[in-house]
Amino acid sequence: SGGKAQLVRALDGDTILAETAFPWEFGETHDFSLIVKGPQITAALDGKPLFTTSDTTLPGGGVALVIEEGRIMTDAVAIAPA
């Protein structure tokens, strides 16, 4: 909300790991990607880097798409070695 893109860790509550301004309008579509190397996480929208952060909370890997309000559509979720 508020014209921001956020990376949120949802474990024992929500923690905003990183955020940046990203104006968007309802109904737009965007390509989203995360590159994770060890604790370093880099997020990009439409091929443009948004931010890089790190998190050591979870030593293993996993992915989930969570929506609490509104909607999300996806054609694919792909996980591949970096």
Side-chain angles (χ1 to χ4, degrees):
S1 65
K4 295 179 183 177
Q6 295 180 322
L7 182 61
V8 179
R9 181 184 63 234
L11 176 68
D12 298 327
D14 291 344
T15 302
I16 298 172
L17 299 176
E19 70 179 9
T20 190
F22 187 82
W24 59 274
E25 293 184 26
F26 183 77
E28 290 179 336
T29 60
H30 298 279
D31 290 320
F32 172 69
S33 67
L34 284 178
I35 297 173
V36 180
K37 293 182 180 178
Q40 183 175 319
I41 306 167
T42 300
L45 278 173
D46 301 326
K48 298 174 185 169
L50 290 174
F51 43 70
T52 297
T53 189
S54 65
D55 185 30
T56 59
T57 304
L58 298 171
V63 64
L65 301 175
V66 178
I67 182 109
E68 293 181 3
E69 185 177 319
R71 66 186 176 119
I72 188 171
M73 294 177 20
T74 183
D75 290 331
V77 174
I79 300 173

